[in-house]
Amino acid sequence: MFQTQWHLWLQHTFDAGWMLSVMQFISLLGYEMAYTALILVCAFGARLRAGLCVMLAVLLMACATHAIKQSAALPRPSDVDAAVLDKGEPSHPFVVDGGGHTFWSLPDAQATTMLRAQPHADYGFNSGHVGITTAAGVALLLAFGIRRRWLRWTLVLGWPVLMAISRMYLGRHFLADVLAGWLLGIGIGALAWQLMPGLRGERRWQLPALLCLGVALAWASLCTPLVPLGEASRLLALGLLVAWMQWRGWPADPQGVVQRVLRVLAVVVVYLLARPVVGWLADTIPLPDAPVTELLWHTVGTLLILGGGVTLARWIPRGA
């Protein structure tokens, strides 16, 4: 599954310039900004609780992907084969032909060792694009109770397969990478649905489990490079927000088109203002230059965005 013949076949068979642009566009939809937009629209333009479930799935998958990448520390196809293009450009591999020579063999050991020696190595296994795409799709399906068969298949299989093909076409991931991301994404999407209070009924263990998970990952991000600090802090902020709304009550979901649009626009404005506000606070308040300070400001920034959006959602009347 770490062979490069799949990539060479894709790149040589579909070598038109327009295909490269299509594959790059599909991959672009797997980055943070695209999922931020999806979460804000789902949470504030549709159902807040379900939208936050999608956010939980994305953050959990991002943490899992980072931990696996750092632990496995395996190269990308463009790191081991000079014939594989890297995003449409000639690659600069550590070895000339170091892909797996059988279906179950790993990439060339020398290439793996050379990659791990790099100060800021960019590891491949597993695919974060495919994993987050799948986790978000499964969370959407379960949290929103989607019943249309074609849409269910699109979210769980169709869109992840397109993302997987784009990542392989661009020389960024092996077949093993995208398969691992897909399988893990299914599990984490279902886990997020189980953890979010109110989606499967109120269960006493859900909120404590969500809060403990946020605290544990935040602590781990300060102690080990296996957990990304940014995603862990956002997960902690999400848990705190959910706890606050479980206590104060959740705002009613929007009903009309106008109210949906106003709520989304309101949270987008809050999102655009939150970063400069947090930056100003960080410059004004003297705190030590340490990871815990970075964790604090990431958490505060996420709370400002989500909490501000929820507050504005309560103010915008249902009849708007």
Side-chain angles (χ1 to χ4, degrees), residues 33-279:
M33 188 56 67
Y35 287 106
T36 299
L38 173 67
I39 291 165
L40 295 182
V41 169
C42 288
F44 295 94
R47 304 178 195 170
L48 179 60
R49 201 186 301 257
L52 294 182
C53 177
V54 176
M55 180 178 178
L56 176 60
V58 169
L59 291 175
L60 287 175
M61 188 65 218
C63 290
T65 297
H66 186 83
I68 294 172
K69 281 181 183 288
Q70 297 300 312
S71 299
L74 292 175
R76 299 178 182 270
S78 55
D79 292 329
V80 301
D81 194 330
V84 175
L85 298 177
D86 184 6
K87 301 180 184 177
E89 300 293 333
S91 58
H92 302 283
F94 296 105
V95 295
V96 175
D97 183 16
H101 296 295
T102 65
F103 187 75
W104 298 109
S105 60
L106 291 172
D108 182 84
Q110 180 183 357
T112 302
T113 301
M114 294 174 69
L115 175 65
R116 293 173 180 175
Q118 303 299 308
H120 301 288
D122 183 20
Y123 300 122
F125 184 87
N126 60 8
S127 172
H129 277 69
V130 175
I132 292 177
T133 294
T134 307
V138 170
L140 274 170
L141 186 157
L142 295 174
F144 283 89
I146 295 173
R147 298 186 179 277
R148 294 184 180 180
R149 183 176 297 179
W150 68 269
L151 188 51
R152 293 167 69 96
W153 280 106
T154 299
L155 291 173
V156 177
L157 186 61
W159 183 240
V161 166
L162 279 178
M163 186 63 72
I165 292 173
S166 76
R167 301 306 287 166
M168 293 181 68
Y169 183 91
L170 297 174
R172 303 302 292 162
H173 286 292
F174 291 103
L175 178 62
D177 302 347
V178 298
L179 284 175
W182 179 65
L183 292 173
L184 190 58
I186 291 175
I188 286 184
L191 175 63
W193 179 59
Q194 293 279 350
L195 285 175
M196 183 57 63
L199 289 180
R200 299 189 63 247
E202 296 291 344
R203 290 171 169 78
R204 292 183 178 180
W205 59 267
Q206 289 173 314
L207 183 58
L210 181 58
L211 287 172
C212 288
L213 184 60
V215 172
L217 288 176
W219 175 82
S221 71
L222 299 175
C223 302
T224 172
L226 294 179
V227 180
L229 189 146
E231 282 74 10
S233 61
R234 294 183 186 102
L235 186 58
L236 176 60
L238 175 61
L240 294 173
L241 178 77
V242 170
W244 175 60
M245 288 188 294
Q246 287 288 103
W247 174 53
R248 292 293 305 273
W250 292 70
D253 290 324
Q255 298 297 318
V257 175
V258 175
Q259 188 186 34
R260 295 177 192 275
V261 172
L262 287 177
R263 285 191 176 187
V264 172
L265 290 177
V267 75
V268 168
V269 171
V270 174
Y271 175 81
L272 295 175
L273 294 176
R275 287 190 176 183
V277 169
V278 172

Side-chain angles (χ1 to χ4, degrees), residues 17-40:
W18 64 269
M19 181 59 73
L20 175 61
S21 298
V22 170
M23 294 294 105
Q24 288 176 331
F25 176 73
I26 292 174
S27 281
L28 187 64
L29 297 178
Y31 287 101
E32 180 181 352
M33 188 56 67
Y35 287 106
T36 299
L38 173 67
I39 291 165
L40 295 182

